Amino acid sequence: MRKLGLLFAYALLSYLLAGPALSAIRFKRFPHCPDGVVTKKTCECHAGDSGRYRFCHAGDNCDTFRGKCHT
């Protein structure tokens, strides 16, 4: 029983230490894309001032009116 408790404590401690690092990667923000062809490796194509955006990659077309990328 003691081993199970130690294992649980170790797993909980590992989760608490790794959680902030994983969320930093998951919620990484990129610079805004200009309207038209994207030249940056990755950027966010925003729809005006709204919170909607999509990730665009080099070679895509960013439509800032709709906040979408087209290949």
Side-chain angles (χ1 to χ4, degrees):
M1 186 70 165
R2 182 178 174 106
K3 289 182 181 179
L4 184 62
L6 288 174
L7 181 64
F8 179 73
Y10 178 72
L12 180 64
L13 181 64
S14 297
Y15 174 77
L16 291 175
L17 291 175
L22 293 174
S23 66
I25 294 170
R26 187 180 312 144
F27 297 113
K28 182 177 180 182
R29 297 302 303 254
F30 293 96
H32 290 218
C33 299
D35 194 27
V37 179
V38 175
T39 57
K40 298 177 184 178
K41 185 176 179 181
T42 303
C43 59
E44 296 176 1
C45 184
H46 285 260
D49 292 333
S50 73
R52 292 187 324 167
Y53 68 91
R54 303 267 190 221
F55 293 112
C56 288
H57 304 287
D60 292 346
N61 289 315
C62 175
D63 181 5
T64 56
F65 182 73
R66 293 187 181 113
K68 294 186 178 181
C69 298
H70 307 280
T71 54

